[in-house]
Amino acid sequence: PERTAFVYRAAGEEFSVTFEKFFDDVLLLARAFREKKIGKDSKVMILSDNRYGWIVTDMALMSLGAISVPRGSDTPTQELEYIMSHSGCEFVLVETEKLFEEHREMIDALPHLKVTFIIQSESRHKLLEPVYAYQDLLKNRIITPAELDEFIAQGMAVQPQDSLTLIYTSGTTGTPKGVVLTHANLLHQIETLPSLIALSEEDRWLSILPSWHIFERTAEFLSIAAGSCLVYSGVKTFAEDLENYSPTVVATVPRVWESLYAKVNLALEKQSKKKAGIF
């Protein structure tokens, strides 16, 4: 419980999150979502880039048996409208107030949408307005023994063949296509990959890909399952983070890798004695 699960920056400060706090954060958010009628098979759009709040949101929805529909903040409004309508999303989670305002006209016009949530925003709920900031939802951090038992039971009730997420293609070659992944799909990777890369709780990941990208998302699940630590990075701070955090694992793709290759080599030269795995 006391091991560090995540490291991230916010407002210029560095924060570390233990597995115990991560567990509590997921439980509290799942409780709040359930109160707003998110449940098994509810389809929920997550419109956000990398952040600690993303993985907490993802795990909270998973624990409820809800189906996430993830996209990045750069998704055009027209494409977003198609995906939300085609998938039948009843709820949408938006990263920031600015991003919400950017798509607000479209979001307000969706007839089947019940509630909008904003991850990073001041408290903003008003009477009869179905928009909530996470600050509105997470004021009460008291967890009773009964709530703990209920949280664990609802997670155990999720079945391997239940749908976990609905991922849409980029739509660059036509209308976006949705791909359904089950809990069993992701569990297979979590059970298979750690031994192939000799993953242990001593490893430290450096996160560079978008969290909604299924490869990065799988890497984050692997990190949690192995009890290792994941550091959220970015293109601007990647070289600095390589040196400061001495990661042992980075998940990337060819296009990103090529753009970061020189930075990686330079950083690895400075810490040549460290184990480093890139896959």
Side-chain angles (χ1 to χ4, degrees):
E2 72 279 359
R3 289 184 67 87
T4 300
F6 298 95
V7 176
Y8 68 95
R9 293 188 187 89
E13 294 186 60
E14 181 185 278
F15 297 89
S16 296
V17 180
T18 64
F19 278 93
E20 182 174 36
K21 184 179 186 304
F22 176 52
F23 181 91
D24 289 348
D25 288 344
V26 173
L27 186 158
L28 291 167
L29 190 57
R31 181 179 71 184
F33 284 162
R34 190 172 61 248
E35 290 173 354
K36 301 306 175 191
K37 310 304 181 185
I38 295 179
K40 183 173 173 55
D41 294 331
S42 295
K43 295 193 179 72
V44 185
M45 165 64 69
I46 308 177
L47 188 65
S48 175
D49 294 327
N50 289 42
R51 60 185 307 127
Y52 171 64
W54 202 106
I55 191 64
V56 173
T57 298
D58 197 21
M59 295 292 283
L61 293 175
M62 287 169 59
S63 76
L64 292 166
I67 303 170
S68 60
V69 186
R71 295 296 287 182
S73 65
D74 59 349
T75 305
T77 301
Q78 185 176 1
E79 186 173 307
L80 186 61
E81 181 180 18
Y82 172 80
I83 291 171
M84 292 178 68
S85 298
H86 184 265
S87 63
C89 283
E90 303 169 275
F91 304 87
V92 59
L93 293 144
V94 185
E95 182 175 10
T96 63
E97 185 83 31
K98 180 181 178 182
L99 191 59
F100 171 60
E101 293 298 334
E102 186 178 318
H103 300 288
R104 181 164 190 167
E105 184 177 348
M106 179 273 295
I107 289 173
D108 288 345
L110 290 174
H112 51 272
L113 198 64
K114 297 176 180 178
V115 181
T116 298
F117 303 93
I118 305 176
I119 298 175
Q120 182 183 330
S121 175
E122 298 297 324
S123 182
R124 59 158 296 141
H125 180 64
K126 299 176 183 176
L127 189 64
L128 301 180
E129 184 183 30
V131 181
Y132 296 86
Y134 274 25
Q135 282 196 20
D136 296 317
L137 304 176
L138 303 174
K139 291 178 181 178
N140 176 16
R141 293 192 62 86
I142 297 174
I143 300 172
T144 67
E147 287 174 329
L148 178 60
D149 291 341
E150 183 180 13
F151 175 67
I152 293 173
Q154 78 185 13
M156 295 297 291
V158 175
Q159 298 300 305
Q161 295 307 317
D162 288 344
S163 297
L164 184 153
T165 189
L166 180 55
I167 299 175
Y168 277 81
T169 58
S170 63
T172 53
T173 58
T175 304
K177 307 296 190 297
V179 179
V180 179
L181 295 179
T182 66
H183 286 261
N185 291 145
L186 274 297
L187 280 171
H188 175 73
Q189 298 187 63
I190 291 168
E191 292 166 352
T192 304
L193 289 174
S195 62
L196 296 179
I197 58 175
L199 187 64
S200 78
E201 63 181 19
E202 300 303 323
D203 279 301
R204 179 176 295 163
W205 301 71
L206 197 60
S207 172
I208 187 67
L209 294 177
S211 290
W212 59 270
H213 190 294
I214 190 57
F215 186 43
E216 171 62 28
R217 197 172 174 191
T218 301
E220 295 189 24
F221 293 157
L222 290 173
S223 178
I224 295 166
S228 52
C229 175
L230 187 139
V231 180
Y232 283 109
S233 183
V235 174
K236 292 182 179 179
T237 63
F238 188 70
E240 179 185 347
D241 291 341
L242 277 172
E243 187 172 353
N244 290 342
Y245 295 108
S246 300
T248 58
V249 194
V250 177
T252 186
V253 293
R255 178 175 54 82
V256 175
W257 170 249
E258 288 167 6
S259 66
L260 298 172
Y261 184 75
K263 293 180 180 180
V264 172
N265 274 349
L266 180 61
L268 292 181
E269 286 176 8
K270 293 181 179 180
Q271 52 172 358
S272 58
K273 61 181 180 180
K274 299 289 184 180
K275 165 191 172 186
I278 311 291
F279 73 95

